[in-house]
Amino acid sequence: MNAMRTQSKKKANGSVSRTGAKTVLGSRSVSALRLRLSSDAGGLLALVGVLLALSIMAGLRFERPITIYVAGEIASQDITADEDLLLEEAEATQRKREQVSSAQPPVYDLSHEVVTDLKRRVTTILDQIAQTPTEELERLRWQISESLNSEISSRSLFMWRTDEFRQALTGTILPWLETYFDYGVVGEKRLLLPNRGGIIIRDLGNDQESLKADLQLIRDLGQFRADLEHYLRIDLKKPIRFRRAVEDIIHPMSMPSLTFNREATQSRKREVMEAVEPVYTQIKKGEIIVRQGERVTSDQQLKIQALYTRQKSFFMPMQASGIFIIGFLLLLGLYFSTMEVRTRDLAVRDAVFLGSVFLLFGLMAKVLAVIKTPLAQGIVFANMSPELFPYLLPAAGAMGVLALFFPVVICFFAGLLIAFLCGKLAGGGLELVIFYFISGMFNVFFIKRAQNRIELLSSVFPLMGALLLCWVGVLMLGSPSSAGIWSGTVLVFTCGLLSLLAVLALSPITEHVFGYTSRFKLMELMNLEQPLLQELMVNAPGTYHHSLVVSNMVEAGARAIGANPLLGKVAALYHDIGKLKTPHYFIENQFGCGNKHDKLAPSMSALVLISHAKKGVELAREHKLGPEIVDIIQQHHGTSLITYFYHKAQEQAESRGEEAVREEDYRYPGPKPQTKEAGLILLADVIEASSRTLVDPTPSRLKGHIQKLIRTIFTEGQLDESELTLKDLHLLTDAFLRILTGIFHNRIEYPGDKAESQSSQSGSKPVAPPMYPMHQ
C-alpha cells in the first residue's frame, strides 16, 4: 500500500492521504503504547485479575500429609515421593567415616629432650661417685639403686669410678646414643604394627612432620638394648664387665623418644571424618517408597520420615509469585502482539473472553493435579500412573477455540500463556508446557484451514498425529516412566478427542455470549433463507439482486488477492440491509414508480442515502451478525462524496445566490475501509451499480469502466487505510471483469422478441440514462 500512497494525489479540499497510518511495530512510539494500554485498561485489568487468581491457585497444595509408619507396621496405603530427594544413610556414612578414621596415621612426637635428660643424669651420677669417699660408696650405691629403681652391683659402681669408663661413656657411647634416639625410639614396636598406613612423626624441635610408612624401620627400647650390646661388644670391643656397667647406668634411664600424641591424633581423625561426604540414597519423584499391604522396613521408615519433613506448607507464596510474574510478562507480550499492522486491537470483550478461557482450562488443570495426588488413591485408573493425568487436558482445544475468532499472532501468545499456566497448575514441568503449546499450535493451524464443520471434524486425525509425535518427544526426554508408554498413548488420543469436543461445544456458546462470528457462523449467515435476506428479497428486490452480484464479485476478488472470500461474500450479502428501512428511496427498487428524490431537497436526499449505512449497522447488531460484518457495513462507502446531489445542491445555491454548499454534508461519515474485505466491497459496490448505466456493455467497455472507477476511488484516498496494494487492484480488475462479463453477456434474439422490440421502439421514447448512479 506504500507504493499506492506515494502515487496518490492530494484532494482539492486539502485532505492528505494517510501515508503513515499503518506502519510496522517499530515506528510506533512509547506514548502510543501508553495510550493503547490506557484505552484497554479494563480488559487488561480483567486478565490480570484472572492471572492473579490462577497464580494463587497454583500455589495451593491439596496433598494429604504423609502418614508415618514405624518399622514392622503394615502400610495401609501407597507412599509415593512427590519430589526428588536425597536421603542420607546414617549407618553407611558412619561406616565410611570410621573407615577413613582408621586409615588416618597416628601422630607421634619426637623429643630430643630424652637424650639430653639422660646425659644430664648420667653426668650427675658419675660426679657424685667421683666425689664420694670410699667408705661412703655403699650408701651411695643404695641411693642410686633407689633412684634408678634398679639394683646396682658393687662391680658396676667401681667401674663407674674409673676414668676409662667415664671417658668412653661421655666421649663415645652418649653421642652414639644421641644419634640413635634422634631417629626415633618407641616403647614397644608391636603397638605400631596395626597402623598399616604408617605414622606421622612430629619433630618437637623444629615442628616439622614426616610420614613413616615402613614401620619395620622404627626401633623400640628392646631393639635399642640389643643394638647397644652389639655396639659395645662388636664396635667398641668392650669386655663383659664394662658392658654390664654401661647397661646398668643406661638401661634404667632409657626412655622412648617417640611418644603417642593422643590429643593430636584424635583431632586429626575428627577433621578427616568431618571432611567425608555423607552417603545419600536418591529418591526419584514418583518412586513408590512402600506399597499398600507391605511390612515397613527400617530403611523405608527413614525415607517416609524424610519425605514428611520435606512436606511444603498449604500455600507456596514463592511459586505463586513466580508464576504471576512470568504470566504477566506473557500477557504484556499478548498485548504487544496486537500492535502489529494487520492485527486488530483487543477490546474489553476480547479480554473477558480470553480470561474466561484461561480460567476454565486453568481450573481443569488444577483438577487433574489434585487427581494425581494421594487424594485420588481410592480411584482406580487401570494401573495408570498419576503422573500421566495432566496429558489428558485438552489444552489444544482451548487454542482451537481461540483460532476460530482471533488471528494467528494472538493465538500464538495466548496459547503460550495457556500452556504455561495449565502446565504449572497441573504440576508438570517444561515437557508438559511444551506438549500443551506445540499441540495447541498444530490445532490452530488445522482449524484455520477448515472451511466447514466436516473439515473441522476431520482435523481430529492430523491433530492426533501431532499429539502422538509430541508424546514421543516427551518420552525421549524421559519425563514419564517407560511403564506408562501405552497408557500415556491412550490418554493422548483421548486428549485429541476432548480437544475436538471442546471446540465444538465452546464455539457456539462463545458466539452467543460474546457475539463473535466464526467461519461456521458465516456459512450459516450465507444461507439465503436467513430472515434478513428474505426480507431484503421481498421488500427491496433490486437491492437484493445487487447484493448477490456484489457478493459474487467480492468472492472472486478475494480469492484473487488472498483475502477472506467467505467473510467478503457474507458481508457483501448484508452490506445494504440498511435500505430495508426506506427501500423506495433507492433507484434499484423503483419499479415503474416515480423517483421520491424529485420532491426532496438535495440535502435531505443525501441524508437518506447516508443513513442507510447507519441503519445497516443497527440491524446487523440487532441480528448479531458479528463485529466483522458490522465494521464492513459501516465502512463500505468510506468517506466518499454523494456526487449527484452535491452538484445539484451547488447548482441550486448558485441560482439562488446562497452560500456555497459544504462538501462535508454530502460525504459518508466513514471510516474508510480498514481491511482488504471492506475495500473489496467498496469497489465492487460502486462498480456493479455504475455498470448498469453502460450502453452496450462489451468486455472492453466494462474493463475501461472498471479501471476508471478504481483509479478514481484510489485517487480520492478511499483505500489509504486498507491493506490493498497496486498489485491487488490489478488482479481485482480482471476478477470483476470476469464476473460482469458473465452477467452482461450477449443473448440470442428470437424472432418474436425482435418484432416486439421494434414495436416498442416505435411506440415509446428512448429512456435516457439516469442523472446519477443507480446505487449510492
Side-chain angles (χ1 to χ4, degrees):
M1 195 62 208
N2 289 335
M4 294 173 58
R5 290 166 184 156
T6 58
Q7 299 178 19
S8 62
K9 300 178 181 179
K10 295 183 179 180
K11 297 181 63 178
N13 60 357
S15 63
V16 182
S17 64
R18 298 176 55 186
T19 305
K22 290 286 183 178
T23 59
V24 295
L25 178 60
S27 65
R28 293 199 177 185
S29 62
V30 177
S31 60
L33 173 61
R34 290 175 179 172
L35 291 174
R36 168 74 174 281
L37 292 179
S38 62
S39 63
D40 296 336
L44 182 61
L45 287 177
L47 285 175
V48 170
V50 171
L51 177 62
L52 180 61
L54 292 177
S55 301
I56 294 174
M57 192 185 306
L60 297 176
R61 290 177 60 93
F62 295 97
E63 293 89 342
R64 186 172 57 188
I66 294 177
T67 302
I68 296 180
Y69 295 101
V70 180
E73 288 185 342
I74 304 297
S76 60
Q77 65 179 23
D78 290 347
I79 301 295
T80 305
D82 59 350
E83 61 178 322
D84 291 338
L85 183 65
L86 290 177
L87 177 63
E88 180 181 352
E89 292 188 5
E91 294 182 2
T93 302
Q94 186 61 29
R95 286 195 300 269
K96 184 178 179 181
R97 289 174 176 173
E98 290 176 356
Q99 182 181 0
V100 173
S101 175
S102 62
Q104 173 65 29
V107 179
Y108 280 78
D109 292 336
L110 175 61
S111 175
H112 302 283
E113 297 296 329
V114 173
V115 179
T116 303
D117 185 61
L118 186 146
K119 289 168 65 176
R120 180 182 56 77
R121 293 180 65 186
V122 168
T123 302
T124 301
I125 290 174
L126 293 180
D127 290 342
Q128 287 180 348
I129 294 174
Q131 295 173 6
T132 302
T134 304
E135 62 274 11
E136 297 291 334
L137 288 177
E138 185 64 21
R139 182 178 60 80
L140 180 60
R141 183 177 69 84
W142 286 107
Q143 289 179 355
I144 294 174
S145 297
E146 289 292 336
S147 174
L148 299 178
N149 196 25
S150 176
E151 185 177 353
I152 307 299
S153 64
S154 299
R155 290 181 179 182
S156 296
L157 186 64
F158 284 106
M159 181 61 71
W160 293 352
R161 286 172 63 89
T162 63
D163 292 336
E164 179 187 3
F165 181 85
R166 186 182 184 92
Q167 291 176 2
L169 184 64
T170 58
T172 304
I173 298 173
L174 287 180
W176 176 86
L177 190 68
E178 183 175 8
T179 302
Y180 192 93
F181 272 82
D182 283 348
Y183 187 79
V185 178
V186 296
E188 293 185 60
K189 187 165 61 175
R190 64 181 180 84
L191 299 178
L192 297 179
L193 296 180
N195 302 312
R196 298 180 180 180
I199 63 173
I200 295 176
I201 297 178
R202 185 171 63 176
D203 193 334
L204 299 179
N206 54 21
D207 202 24
Q208 293 183 352
E209 295 183 356
S210 60
L211 176 65
K212 297 295 181 182
D214 191 355
L215 299 180
Q216 296 294 336
L217 299 179
I218 298 178
R219 308 157 189 171
D220 60 2
L221 291 179
Q223 187 175 353
F224 162 69
R225 294 186 181 98
D227 291 342
L228 179 60
E229 172 67 18
H230 182 274
Y231 176 72
L232 293 175
R233 182 169 58 85
I234 302 302
D235 295 345
L236 299 182
K237 301 184 185 313
K238 296 297 182 180
I240 190 171
R241 286 186 59 194
F242 187 89
R243 299 199 299 270
R244 294 291 179 267
V246 172
E247 293 172 354
D248 286 345
I249 194 172
I250 294 299
H251 287 176
M253 290 186 293
S254 299
M255 301 292 293
S257 60
L258 280 177
T259 56
F260 176 63
N261 191 328
R262 184 178 299 278
E263 182 179 353
T265 300
Q266 294 298 329
S267 176
R268 302 269 177 110
K269 287 182 178 292
R270 285 194 299 269
E271 289 178 2
V272 296
M273 289 176 69
E274 291 175 358
V276 172
E277 292 291 335
V279 178
Y280 291 101
T281 297
Q282 187 175 19
I283 302 176
K284 298 293 292 183
K285 183 178 180 180
E287 178 182 346
I288 298 178
I289 306 301
V290 62
R291 295 187 180 276
Q292 181 180 1
E294 290 183 353
R295 190 174 299 276
V296 180
T297 64
S298 57
D299 291 340
Q300 290 173 332
Q301 177 186 345
L302 293 176
K303 293 180 180 180
I304 294 173
Q305 291 176 349
L307 288 174
Y308 184 85
T309 57
R310 292 294 298 271
Q311 282 285 300
K312 300 178 178 66
S313 61
F314 179 72
F315 179 71
M316 296 175 290
M318 297 299 293
Q319 180 174 349
S321 301
I323 292 175
F324 178 78
I325 292 173
I326 296 177
F328 183 73
L329 293 176
L330 293 175
L331 188 60
L332 288 181
L334 172 63
Y335 267 81
F336 293 155
S337 69
T338 61
M339 298 178 64
E340 200 269 337
V341 175
R342 298 185 179 183
T343 304
R344 66 180 176 87
D345 297 344
L346 284 179
V348 176
R349 177 190 62 171
D350 301 327
V352 174
F353 170 59
L354 288 173
S356 302
V357 173
F358 295 159
L359 190 60
L360 174 62
F361 283 85
L363 288 172
M364 294 169 62
K366 192 62 178 179
V367 170
L368 290 176
V370 173
I371 289 178
K372 74 173 186 176
T373 64
L375 288 176
Q377 298 231 347
I379 306 177
V380 179
F381 285 95
N383 297 325
M384 188 176 295
S385 173
E387 296 297 323
L388 301 178
F389 291 164
Y391 290 89
L392 192 62
L393 179 70
M399 297 172 65
V401 174
L402 300 183
L404 292 174
F405 312 110
F406 294 104
V408 174
V409 63
I410 293 180
C411 293
F412 178 87
F413 284 96
L416 190 59
L417 187 56
I418 289 174
F420 171 71
L421 291 175
C422 292
K424 301 309 293 183
L425 283 163
L430 180 62
E431 296 88 351
L432 185 61
V433 174
I434 293 175
F435 177 83
Y436 286 159
F437 177 69
I438 295 179
S439 61
M441 288 308 299
F442 270 103
N443 202 27
V444 169
F445 173 75
F446 297 142
I447 289 180
K448 284 292 185 183
R449 291 177 60 88
Q451 297 299 322
N452 50 58
R453 297 192 187 271
I454 299 299
E455 292 183 4
L456 176 62
L457 292 174
S458 301
S459 68
V460 71
F461 299 107
L463 175 61
M464 285 184 175
L467 288 171
L468 183 60
L469 192 60
C470 290
W471 171 243
V472 172
V474 170
L475 287 177
M476 290 183 177
L477 290 176
S479 177
S481 62
S482 58
I485 293 178
W486 295 111
S487 56
T489 303
V490 173
L491 282 180
V492 165
F493 280 114
T494 306
C495 175
L497 291 174
L498 291 177
S499 298
L500 175 62
L501 293 176
V503 174
L504 294 176
L506 295 179
S507 57
I509 297 176
T510 303
E511 292 174 358
H512 179 73
V513 174
F514 295 95
Y516 285 118
T517 305
S518 67
R519 68 173 56 87
F520 308 116
K521 184 176 180 180
L522 288 176
M523 296 183 66
E524 295 171 357
L525 292 175
M526 193 171 58
N527 188 347
L528 298 182
E529 299 298 325
Q530 287 289 332
L532 270 178
L533 295 181
Q534 288 289 312
E535 186 178 355
L536 192 67
M537 180 175 61
V538 173
N539 297 328
T543 301
Y544 175 77
H545 180 265
H546 161 76
S547 299
L548 288 178
V549 177
V550 171
S551 68
N552 290 328
M553 294 174 62
V554 170
E555 182 181 17
R559 294 188 186 279
I561 66 173
N564 189 335
L566 182 59
L567 175 60
K569 184 174 184 178
V570 175
L573 287 174
Y574 290 89
H575 77 284
D576 272 342
I577 57 174
K579 294 180 180 181
L580 284 172
K581 299 294 184 179
T582 54
H584 297 296
Y585 281 87
F586 298 89
I587 195 170
E588 68 266 24
N589 298 316
Q590 297 172 0
F591 300 103
C593 61
N595 192 337
K596 293 183 177 292
H597 291 282
D598 294 339
K599 300 179 181 180
L600 296 178
S603 59
M604 283 300 300
S605 296
L607 286 176
V608 172
L609 295 181
I610 291 173
S611 66
H612 89 274
K614 179 181 179 182
K615 293 176 180 178
V617 169
E618 294 174 353
L619 280 174
R621 287 174 176 168
E622 180 183 347
H623 288 79
K624 298 181 179 179
L625 300 186
E628 295 85 358
I629 296 178
V630 170
D631 291 341
I632 291 177
I633 292 175
Q634 188 177 24
Q635 300 165 15
H636 82 279
H637 280 296
T639 58
S640 60
L641 179 67
I642 304 176
T643 309
Y644 174 79
F645 290 116
Y646 173 67
H647 290 305
K648 184 178 180 181
Q650 278 186 325
E651 293 174 357
Q652 291 180 359
E654 290 176 0
S655 63
R656 298 172 184 174
E658 298 176 352
E659 295 181 359
V661 179
R662 293 178 54 193
E663 184 177 304
E664 291 77 8
D665 295 336
Y666 292 85
R667 285 190 177 275
Y668 284 94
K672 296 178 181 180
Q674 303 293 308
T675 61
K676 284 187 175 182
E677 292 78 16
L680 269 172
I681 292 178
L682 184 148
L683 291 171
D685 188 23
V686 174
I687 291 172
E688 195 280 333
S690 61
S691 65
R692 294 176 180 272
T693 65
L694 293 177
V695 178
D696 190 16
T698 62
S700 59
R701 290 184 179 181
L702 282 173
K703 185 175 182 178
H705 182 69
I706 293 172
Q707 291 176 337
K708 178 182 178 181
L709 286 177
I710 290 179
R711 192 181 307 113
T712 301
I713 294 172
F714 167 65
T715 305
E716 288 179 357
Q718 295 300 321
L719 303 177
D720 285 351
E721 298 179 20
S722 69
E723 299 167 4
L724 294 174
T725 64
L726 287 174
K727 180 180 179 181
D728 293 337
L729 296 181
H730 176 72
L731 295 174
L732 289 176
T733 300
D734 296 336
F736 290 164
L737 177 62
R738 186 171 63 255
I739 299 298
L740 291 179
T741 301
I743 294 175
F744 294 108
H745 67 277
N746 293 327
R747 293 177 175 84
I748 298 175
E749 189 172 3
Y750 294 96
D753 295 338
K754 184 176 181 180
E756 183 178 352
S757 175
Q758 292 176 352
S759 173
S760 174
Q761 290 179 3
S762 62
S764 61
K765 297 180 180 181
V767 180
M771 296 180 64
Y772 58 94
M774 294 176 61
H775 181 79
Q776 283 283 358

PDB file of all heavy atoms in Angstrom, residues 419-431:
ATOM      1  N   ALA A 419      -0.492 -22.590  27.811  1.00  0.00           N
ATOM      2  CA  ALA A 419       0.397 -23.731  28.043  1.00  0.00           C
ATOM      3  C   ALA A 419       1.177 -23.560  29.335  1.00  0.00           C
ATOM      4  O   ALA A 419       1.320 -24.508  30.125  1.00  0.00           O
ATOM      5  CB  ALA A 419       1.353 -23.892  26.859  1.00  0.00           C
ATOM      6  N   PHE A 420       1.672 -22.349  29.588  1.00  0.00           N
ATOM      7  CA  PHE A 420       2.451 -22.118  30.802  1.00  0.00           C
ATOM      8  C   PHE A 420       1.583 -22.260  32.056  1.00  0.00           C
ATOM      9  O   PHE A 420       1.947 -22.969  33.002  1.00  0.00           O
ATOM     10  CB  PHE A 420       3.078 -20.725  30.744  1.00  0.00           C
ATOM     11  CG  PHE A 420       3.733 -20.295  32.035  1.00  0.00           C
ATOM     12  CD1 PHE A 420       4.912 -20.869  32.463  1.00  0.00           C
ATOM     13  CD2 PHE A 420       3.138 -19.336  32.836  1.00  0.00           C
ATOM     14  CE1 PHE A 420       5.512 -20.488  33.649  1.00  0.00           C
ATOM     15  CE2 PHE A 420       3.721 -18.936  34.019  1.00  0.00           C
ATOM     16  CZ  PHE A 420       4.906 -19.517  34.431  1.00  0.00           C
ATOM     17  N   LEU A 421       0.424 -21.585  32.065  1.00  0.00           N
ATOM     18  CA  LEU A 421      -0.435 -21.628  33.246  1.00  0.00           C
ATOM     19  C   LEU A 421      -0.957 -23.038  33.510  1.00  0.00           C
ATOM     20  O   LEU A 421      -0.902 -23.534  34.649  1.00  0.00           O
ATOM     21  CB  LEU A 421      -1.603 -20.658  33.075  1.00  0.00           C
ATOM     22  CG  LEU A 421      -1.257 -19.158  33.085  1.00  0.00           C
ATOM     23  CD1 LEU A 421      -2.490 -18.330  32.787  1.00  0.00           C
ATOM     24  CD2 LEU A 421      -0.652 -18.752  34.425  1.00  0.00           C
ATOM     25  N   CYS A 422      -1.452 -23.705  32.469  1.00  0.00           N
ATOM     26  CA  CYS A 422      -2.000 -25.054  32.658  1.00  0.00           C
ATOM     27  C   CYS A 422      -0.904 -26.033  33.055  1.00  0.00           C
ATOM     28  O   CYS A 422      -1.127 -26.928  33.881  1.00  0.00           O
ATOM     29  CB  CYS A 422      -2.701 -25.520  31.386  1.00  0.00           C
ATOM     30  SG  CYS A 422      -4.211 -24.605  31.000  1.00  0.00           S
ATOM     31  N   GLY A 423       0.294 -25.876  32.471  1.00  0.00           N
ATOM     32  CA  GLY A 423       1.391 -26.767  32.827  1.00  0.00           C
ATOM     33  C   GLY A 423       1.779 -26.642  34.286  1.00  0.00           C
ATOM     34  O   GLY A 423       2.003 -27.649  34.979  1.00  0.00           O
ATOM     35  N   LYS A 424       1.836 -25.413  34.796  1.00  0.00           N
ATOM     36  CA  LYS A 424       2.201 -25.217  36.206  1.00  0.00           C
ATOM     37  C   LYS A 424       1.057 -25.619  37.129  1.00  0.00           C
ATOM     38  O   LYS A 424       1.292 -26.191  38.203  1.00  0.00           O
ATOM     39  CB  LYS A 424       2.595 -23.767  36.449  1.00  0.00           C
ATOM     40  CG  LYS A 424       3.764 -23.273  35.610  1.00  0.00           C
ATOM     41  CD  LYS A 424       4.971 -24.183  35.688  1.00  0.00           C
ATOM     42  CE  LYS A 424       5.612 -24.196  37.069  1.00  0.00           C
ATOM     43  NZ  LYS A 424       6.825 -25.022  37.090  1.00  0.00           N
ATOM     44  N   LEU A 425      -0.168 -25.311  36.742  1.00  0.00           N
ATOM     45  CA  LEU A 425      -1.312 -25.694  37.573  1.00  0.00           C
ATOM     46  C   LEU A 425      -1.465 -27.206  37.643  1.00  0.00           C
ATOM     47  O   LEU A 425      -1.892 -27.747  38.667  1.00  0.00           O
ATOM     48  CB  LEU A 425      -2.592 -25.059  37.030  1.00  0.00           C
ATOM     49  CG  LEU A 425      -2.779 -23.575  37.333  1.00  0.00           C
ATOM     50  CD1 LEU A 425      -3.840 -22.976  36.426  1.00  0.00           C
ATOM     51  CD2 LEU A 425      -3.169 -23.364  38.793  1.00  0.00           C
ATOM     52  N   ALA A 426      -1.112 -27.910  36.567  1.00  0.00           N
ATOM     53  CA  ALA A 426      -1.203 -29.371  36.562  1.00  0.00           C
ATOM     54  C   ALA A 426      -0.026 -30.021  37.271  1.00  0.00           C
ATOM     55  O   ALA A 426       0.010 -31.247  37.400  1.00  0.00           O
ATOM     56  CB  ALA A 426      -1.288 -29.882  35.128  1.00  0.00           C
ATOM     57  N   GLY A 427       0.938 -29.212  37.720  1.00  0.00           N
ATOM     58  CA  GLY A 427       2.073 -29.758  38.453  1.00  0.00           C
ATOM     59  C   GLY A 427       3.124 -30.372  37.568  1.00  0.00           C
ATOM     60  O   GLY A 427       3.956 -31.155  38.035  1.00  0.00           O
ATOM     61  N   GLY A 428       3.133 -30.028  36.275  1.00  0.00           N
ATOM     62  CA  GLY A 428       4.107 -30.588  35.355  1.00  0.00           C
ATOM     63  C   GLY A 428       5.317 -29.692  35.197  1.00  0.00           C
ATOM     64  O   GLY A 428       5.389 -28.589  35.730  1.00  0.00           O
ATOM     65  N   GLY A 429       6.282 -30.192  34.431  1.00  0.00           N
ATOM     66  CA  GLY A 429       7.495 -29.443  34.169  1.00  0.00           C
ATOM     67  C   GLY A 429       7.512 -28.854  32.778  1.00  0.00           C
ATOM     68  O   GLY A 429       6.467 -28.639  32.147  1.00  0.00           O
ATOM     69  N   LEU A 430       8.724 -28.610  32.283  1.00  0.00           N
ATOM     70  CA  LEU A 430       8.880 -27.994  30.972  1.00  0.00           C
ATOM     71  C   LEU A 430       8.320 -28.886  29.869  1.00  0.00           C
ATOM     72  O   LEU A 430       7.756 -28.383  28.888  1.00  0.00           O
ATOM     73  CB  LEU A 430      10.365 -27.707  30.719  1.00  0.00           C
ATOM     74  CG  LEU A 430      10.721 -27.065  29.374  1.00  0.00           C
ATOM     75  CD1 LEU A 430      10.063 -25.697  29.247  1.00  0.00           C
ATOM     76  CD2 LEU A 430      12.233 -26.945  29.234  1.00  0.00           C
ATOM     77  N   GLU A 431       8.442 -30.213  30.032  1.00  0.00           N
ATOM     78  CA  GLU A 431       7.943 -31.120  28.989  1.00  0.00           C
ATOM     79  C   GLU A 431       6.438 -30.970  28.802  1.00  0.00           C
ATOM     80  O   GLU A 431       5.938 -30.964  27.664  1.00  0.00           O
ATOM     81  CB  GLU A 431       8.272 -32.579  29.345  1.00  0.00           C
ATOM     82  CG  GLU A 431       9.762 -32.889  29.402  1.00  0.00           C
ATOM     83  CD  GLU A 431      10.332 -32.622  30.773  1.00  0.00           C
ATOM     84  OE1 GLU A 431       9.605 -32.035  31.615  1.00  0.00           O
ATOM     85  OE2 GLU A 431      11.509 -32.960  31.019  1.00  0.00           O
TER      86      GLU A 431
END
